[in-house]
Amino acid sequence: MKLVKRIILFVLLGALIFGLVYAYNRLPIVTGYAAKDMCSCVFIAGRDPKDVDANEFQFSLIKYASATVDYENKTVTAKVLGMGTKTAYFHPKKGCAILNETEAKVFLEDVNYDGIGNFNEIPLEISQDDDNISYDILNEAVAKHFKDTDPEKPFGTRAVLVLKNGKIIAEQYAEGFDQNSMHIGWSMTKSIFSALVGVALEQNYISSVDENSLFKEWKNDDRKNITLKNLLQMNSGLEWTEDYGDISEATVMLYDRDDMISYAKSSELEGEIGKHWEYSSGSSNLLSGLLRQRFENYESYFKFPYEQLFKKIGAPSFIIETDAKGNFVASSYAWATARDWAKFGLLYANDGYYNNEKLLPDGWCQFISENAEGSEGGYGAQFWLPTKEEYPTAPTDMYFADGFQGQRIFIIPSEDLVIVRLGLTRFEQPNYDILISDVLKAIKN
């Protein structure tokens, strides 16, 4: 009997030690996420820290983090039981970044560009008088997307906006949010950088998506054969693990590295270039690195998204956050209002034109919506494609931007339709296929 008790005690002690080690090793990721997310929500979105803690932090180990906001110095410091301290700093032009080794004075240096938020908005027209649209059916379709089927597991929908022929035909917000609220796009930022690559091609900063020898660090090995197209389609063959519930390349890059581009460049090959598909935030940040090295100086790189994309579509709310070294975090950190996210979708619904100005190359919208080799029909070029399993009734020409916790921009060119959904989905996913199907029924009524 004593032996059995000793064995049980030994097993329990081993489990406790394993649990403590497991949690301790993940502290830099947990506190990094908490510091960065709280900083951005407070200083970019103007949210109340208590509301952020009660909503954004209620999952995984993040719920055990405490984040302290310093309004005077515009920093957020996060800890778990006093351990694993991480601090995020806010810069009015660069957003929030965790500083692991970089000195604050370096990150907080000013950028010689004052255009963020300082250009004219191109308003979206609101239409409620199209005889071909049943607005009762449409409004009910949108409202249904806010109605939780299980109060214990809310959908967390915060905004839904529908554009038809470039006009707003439906728009709804959750309590506490409105048309001026800022929303993080998470991985929809990848689609933003896909567009920026397209703009760079149109303006001859890049000659072709078939360019290779992209980085000097790759010149002496097979990575020199990776093309820009491979990075866009995420079939570069580079080793990567995109796991946000554990220590992975994705979480280490975002929360424990100051120079995310250098970290992504260090990835080694693990599969055949052009064949081995791996969803990778590292590949998206390499797009940011590629763009940075095409400009003469940092200021030219920094202002490029604002002057050549956001200004052209009249979307002044956009801000893309950088890492501690000033690199745009192309994988994750773009913020904007629902209407400005819709304008980005409209650029694609209009085949790369906005306000009668051509921004994207001929054939670009077709290219980014074509199946990437190795993706089994689910991915294009920093945009997702609908699979029959997830979107059984969606039009075949639909493609979409997709971000963590339920951020979506659905683009249906054949219907001249854009559907934006923003929120904080932590539990059961809302059925996006039903939303799309219901909207289509309303406009075809």
Side-chain angles (χ1 to χ4, degrees):
M1 188 67 178
K2 289 183 179 180
L3 178 60
V4 173
K5 289 182 178 180
R6 287 177 181 176
I7 292 173
I8 293 173
L9 181 61
F10 180 78
V11 171
L12 291 175
L13 182 61
L16 176 62
I17 292 172
F18 175 81
L20 290 173
V21 171
Y22 178 91
Y24 184 79
N25 288 339
R26 285 151 183 78
L27 281 182
I29 307 303
V30 171
T31 55
Y33 181 99
K36 165 66 185 63
D37 200 38
M38 180 66 81
C39 182
S40 298
C41 286
V42 170
F43 293 114
I44 294 177
R47 301 271 303 284
D48 184 324
K50 293 181 180 179
D51 181 61
V52 176
D53 184 63
N55 291 281
E56 269 76 358
F57 285 12
Q58 297 307 307
F59 70 99
S60 186
L61 295 173
I62 307 299
K63 60 189 173 188
Y64 300 110
S66 60
T68 303
V69 180
D70 182 338
Y71 283 94
E72 182 178 355
N73 294 306
K74 290 184 170 55
T75 64
V76 174
T77 299
K79 304 176 183 180
V80 175
L81 299 176
M83 298 182 291
T85 302
K86 290 277 189 178
T87 300
Y89 289 72
F90 172 71
H91 186 289
K93 299 175 185 177
K94 301 177 188 176
C96 290
I98 299 163
L99 305 187
N100 296 291
E101 299 175 352
T102 304
E103 293 184 15
K105 65 180 182 180
V106 175
F107 174 70
L108 295 176
E109 288 179 354
D110 194 17
V111 181
N112 187 26
Y113 177 66
D114 295 319
I116 299 176
N118 290 331
F119 46 83
N120 293 330
E121 179 183 6
I122 300 176
L124 290 168
E125 184 179 342
I126 298 174
S127 173
Q128 292 289 314
D129 57 2
D130 189 330
D131 293 337
N132 296 315
I133 297 174
S134 172
Y135 290 97
D136 288 340
I137 295 175
L138 178 62
N139 292 333
E140 176 55 31
V142 171
K144 185 166 64 175
H145 204 68
F146 287 80
K147 297 175 181 177
D148 302 321
T149 55
D150 182 350
E152 298 298 318
K153 296 181 178 181
F155 290 163
T157 304
R158 291 174 171 174
V160 174
L161 190 150
V162 183
L163 297 181
K164 172 68 174 172
N165 300 325
K167 299 177 181 179
I168 298 174
I169 59 171
E171 184 177 24
Q172 183 173 331
Y173 297 94
E175 183 179 356
F177 297 87
D178 59 28
Q179 67 186 52
N180 297 312
S181 298
M182 294 285 281
H183 303 264
I184 188 170
W186 289 112
S187 286
M188 294 202 304
T189 312
K190 294 176 171 69
S191 302
I192 292 285
F193 272 80
S194 177
L196 289 171
V197 169
V199 173
L201 276 162
E202 180 66 13
Q203 297 184 7
N204 297 315
Y205 288 104
I206 296 170
S207 61
S208 167
V209 295
D210 295 319
E211 281 191 23
N212 57 16
S213 300
L214 301 176
F215 301 105
K216 62 182 181 181
E217 292 88 348
W218 296 355
K219 66 180 180 180
N220 294 322
D221 57 64
D222 287 343
R223 293 178 298 176
K224 66 179 179 292
N225 298 317
I226 296 171
T227 66
L228 173 56
K229 180 179 178 180
N230 296 145
L231 291 181
L232 286 163
Q233 294 188 331
M234 294 199 181
N235 54 19
S236 66
L238 290 171
E239 183 177 5
W240 193 264
T241 301
E242 192 86 5
D243 184 349
Y244 289 90
D246 206 342
I247 299 173
S248 70
E249 284 89 348
T251 54
V252 169
M253 177 185 68
L254 289 173
Y255 303 114
D256 206 34
R257 292 294 183 272
D258 287 359
D259 189 336
M260 299 188 195
I261 291 173
S262 291
Y263 181 76
K265 285 179 185 176
S266 69
S267 299
E268 300 294 335
L269 282 174
E270 69 169 353
E272 184 179 355
I273 297 171
K275 301 289 186 181
H276 180 81
W277 189 88
E278 186 89 50
Y279 184 76
S280 167
S281 286
S283 291
S284 300
N285 283 327
L286 288 173
L287 298 177
S288 177
L290 181 67
L291 286 173
R292 182 166 182 173
Q293 67 186 24
R294 296 302 166 103
F295 293 95
E296 294 181 359
N297 52 56
Y298 180 71
E299 286 74 20
S300 297
Y301 160 78
F302 187 85
K303 72 180 184 181
F304 182 68
Y306 298 98
E307 291 293 317
Q308 303 305 322
L309 179 58
F310 303 142
K311 184 176 182 178
K312 298 293 181 70
I313 66 173
S317 71
F318 266 105
I319 182 171
I320 307 174
E321 297 179 275
T322 76
D323 63 16
K325 297 298 184 181
N327 303 302
F328 286 123
V329 184
S331 63
S332 314
Y333 293 153
W335 291 76
T337 63
R339 289 187 178 187
D340 281 356
W341 279 115
K343 292 171 189 174
F344 175 69
L346 186 57
L347 170 67
Y348 278 88
N350 288 339
D351 198 26
Y353 283 79
Y354 208 96
N355 208 24
N356 296 318
E357 181 177 1
K358 182 183 180 186
L359 303 184
L360 301 174
D362 291 336
W364 183 257
C365 297
Q366 179 179 347
F367 164 68
I368 61 92
S369 60
E370 291 174 348
N371 177 42
E373 185 74 25
S375 73
E376 299 181 351
Y379 204 74
Q382 308 289 298
F383 282 86
W384 290 86
L385 309 180
T387 61
K388 283 299 180 184
E389 292 76 20
E390 192 171 4
Y391 296 94
T393 67
T396 56
D397 67 329
M398 185 184 88
Y399 56 97
F400 58 100
D402 181 323
F404 179 51
Q405 295 179 329
Q407 320 317 315
R408 299 288 189 276
I409 303 174
F410 297 105
I411 300 155
I412 307 176
S414 59
E415 300 291 343
D416 202 354
L417 189 68
V418 175
I419 304 172
V420 174
R421 188 273 183 186
L422 301 164
L424 181 71
T425 298
R426 300 196 311 267
F427 303 103
E428 177 188 358
Q429 292 282 352
N431 192 313
Y432 300 112
D433 188 67
I434 289 178
L435 172 64
I436 295 162
S437 176
D438 287 349
V439 169
L440 287 170
K441 289 176 184 176
I443 67 174
K444 292 181 176 181
N445 186 60

